[in-house]
Amino acid sequence: MLNSLDRRSASLFAVCLLASIASCGPPAEEGKTPAPAVSVAATATAAPVDAGVAEAPLPLDARVRKGKLQNGMTYYVLPHKKPEHRAQVWLAVNAGSVLEDDDQRGLAHFVEHMGFNGTKRFPKQALVDMLEKSGVSFGADLNAYTSFDETVYTLQVPTDKPEIMNGAIGILRDWTDSVTFDPAEVEKERGVVMEEWRLGRGAGARIFDKQAPVFFFGSKYADRLTIGKPEIIQGAPRDTLFRFYKDWYRPDLMAVIAVGDFSADEMEARIKTEFSTVKPADKPRPRPSVPVPAHERQLVTVETDKEATGTSVSIITKFPHRPLTTASDYRRTLGERLFNTMLNARLDELRRKANAPFLYAGSRSGSFVRTEDSFTQGAQVKENGVRRGYTALLEEMLRVERFGFTASELTRAKSDVMRSFEQAVKERDTEEGRSLAREIVRNFLEDEAMPGPEAERELATRMLPSFTLEELNSVGKSLGKNSRVVAVTGPATMEKPTEAAILAATAEVAARDIKPYEDIASNVPLMATPPIPGAVVSTREIAELGVTEWTLANGARVVVKATDFKADEVRLSAFAKGGTSLAADADFDTARFAGSVVSQGGVGSFDAVALRKILAGKVVHASAQIGELEESVSAGASTADLTTMFQLVNLRFTAPRRDDSAFAAWKESETEAARNRRLSPEGVFWEDLSLFSSQNHKRRQPVTPELIAKVDLDRALSFYKARFSDASGFTFIIVGNVDVAATKTLVETYIGSLPSTERKETWRDVHVNRPPGVAKKEVAMGTEPKSRVTLTFHGDETFTRDKENDMRMLGEVLRIRLREVMREDMGGVYGVSAGGSIARWPRPQYTFNVSFGCAPTNVAKLEKALFDEVKAIAEKGIGDDYIAKVKELRRREHETNLRENGYWMGELSRAYTFGDDPKQMLDFNAMVDKVTSDHVRAAAKKYLSQKQYILGELKPATTP
């Protein structure tokens, strides 16, 4: 992708903008709607680029075939083998909610939903049914999203069976002009769309509703939030819905995108055959470009909500969108990236100080909407700290404007940026296909250049050295003078500034005597002298898995799996038994935070800021955690930075750092979060349900300001050191693109040298017990008409792989059935999650959870539908067609998992944690194949007993 861009989140404003996006994903995707396309959009003063080259459009990546059919439809074909035997086949429509007529607000998204409810070749739910039988998971592989300016349908399908690929292309073809809008299906889907609207309601949505007219001052965007208006969703005639589809779903506004493991010639021919038959519109309605008018006056919006849990302030500067098509454009984005990289480093340094003016802060440049870009500084602050946080943001901007950056800052920024381009080239063939498909979507919708990773690295190599401090210092001066919005949000108890106070604070900062920034950086290496190595004393090969296991003289065990799944990725995980369970009750409230507290201090002689500076230009991380039953370290690096990764891991064990300033900043941040946590209805619900489910256990008590005040740094550091003082109990799992022989040397040096006392230690059961029988907890809180229901079945159970396998199949079957009944038939939910597991530690027991959101008036009937379905499966089992569907879903998922580092890390970690034979993972398909309807029925009868469960219900306390 365009490596100079952070496409997922260009500004803190993008978080609010998520309220304008809708998706038809399943329960696993609740709250995970696709982010708006965002790009670097600030105006930097660009140095000259070679004449004639600067304004010539950058060429399209040579791997991509792009064409246009006679009917005006665009297509892209890109052969790519990640993931293997899979293809992304997407349909991008250059139409979103901003094109809705007044009587259609919310219907662009509704139309997207109807694409899954019946087409000419796939009536009603046949489309989803056919794909699930092919191993395509609804939500993970089959999804769509709608935003202000676009609608995109996404499919990932297997490519090893032509009939599946043909079916997928047929679905995309039908979406272009053959969605049926069956009146009965429209009526059922109204409820589903309303439930999606309901899920999105809350403090954030209410605040955004009020702020949108300010953000989009004078623009139609303010009146076209994608989720729409409930009265229109519920009452719009079928023909009004169809009118949007007829007006905007047409070939000149569409692109078919295919990225995957296939023959380019065959795919291109298939696309031409299918989509050439789409008829162009006779009288196409002009697709307008919707402006956001400029405003000379700074606008201020200050909004509070009694359920808001945090306070924030943002400075948003808007200006007309600039293209990203030429070398000159590309150089501009590089300058903006360097600027924000350096500014963000300063903001991060400031927030780590005691009594900092904000808890977190950042600066981003990005797309505001299709026609508008923005430059945003945002901060999370204390309730009484809006003015201080706002002025601190302004002061840092003015510091750069008056004194500029330093040469050392620029050197680090260039190093970081250049490294990302180098890594992108390494990952060229192992980048996820979805990422490439998203990049193509932007090329089609926004004409964003897509020259390919090698071309981008060449551009960066040529351009980055030419940036001077003088040029980059001018970036801030060229931004932020027009169309500025200051946005403040927080709880009702927030110290609320007036517009006049904001303007006065702006003037006050301008008059300050601001001092230059002093860049203090160490020239000391991370680890000046390598430790004395410890030898590998035994080696075991597991040839079937390609795994090597070493035992070191200090007792540590290391397991290495070399892969080629990602060209420039190595992961490390280390774990040992113990955790906070070994802390005395009197020490628990400090011990529970020991991992996060100590990590704030850095390692060795380096605080967190100094550590970031010396790691500039490297792709590496390592962090330590302490859970209830184990302590662990997680790390990762590019292949070029393995030595640094091992050094960091070693230092996390041997050199945790005491830092009073970092600890003070941590306490301030955690105290602020704890103070307002219970303002959120959902937060209160999950917290109270956890207490109820543990029978108010002392180790499940919520975090409060009073508890944070009692956390002691010295005791936290002491507990941390105790947990990481003995390497003999640790297992280290290393997965990725490694040379095993070279890795052995690093392992002996940095893991073999870790201290060892050879203590025989394990976790302690702290006896957290669920209430017996049927237990119900109801929480009444909130003003929105929304409820949440969660049902937890539980009981004693000894783990076996067969039992776990049966429970997994039960979860998959129940998820599909509840979606069919509660979403598709009843229209009562947006999605339902269902699944369970069998715990081996600290006691053998199972849990099986079902959860959904709905209207308060529907709680009783949906709970009944859930229990009825559970009873039916327990008594009669499930049809063989469901069993076949779930088996295929699991087999297909396993196919792709086997080519993922994360999957191997998880499976190996689990095997070595519990003492299982790692080779068991080889019989996955045999395990899945032997499950029958009788297995599922028996599992439902045993694990979904209606005599023992916990039922939690969140209902509103009041109406708005």
Side-chain angles (χ1 to χ4, degrees), residues 14 58 159 381 425 679 735 764 784 811 872 910 914 917:
L58 292 171
T159 59
V381 299
V425 172
L679 295 178
V735 177
R764 178 171 66 96
E784 293 288 349
R910 185 167 76 152
F914 297 111
D917 182 354

Side-chain angles (χ1 to χ4, degrees), residues 342-383:
M342 292 184 288
L343 179 58
N344 280 324
R346 290 190 182 185
L347 294 173
D348 179 70
E349 184 173 341
L350 186 56
R351 67 101 174 170
R352 293 179 181 276
K353 296 180 179 179
N355 195 31
F358 37 67
L359 308 176
Y360 299 97
S363 174
R364 300 282 181 95
S365 307
S367 173
F368 192 70
V369 288
R370 180 74 62 78
T371 58
E372 199 81 357
D373 294 337
S374 65
F375 179 60
T376 301
Q377 291 74 50
Q380 183 180 346
V381 299
K382 298 179 183 178
E383 276 189 22

Side-chain angles (χ1 to χ4, degrees), residues 419 423 426-427 430 566-570 637-640 737:
R419 184 58 185 276
Q423 189 171 42
K426 279 189 175 183
E427 293 285 11
T430 54
K566 294 286 286 183
D568 200 29
E569 179 183 82
V570 180
S638 72
T639 56
N737 190 8

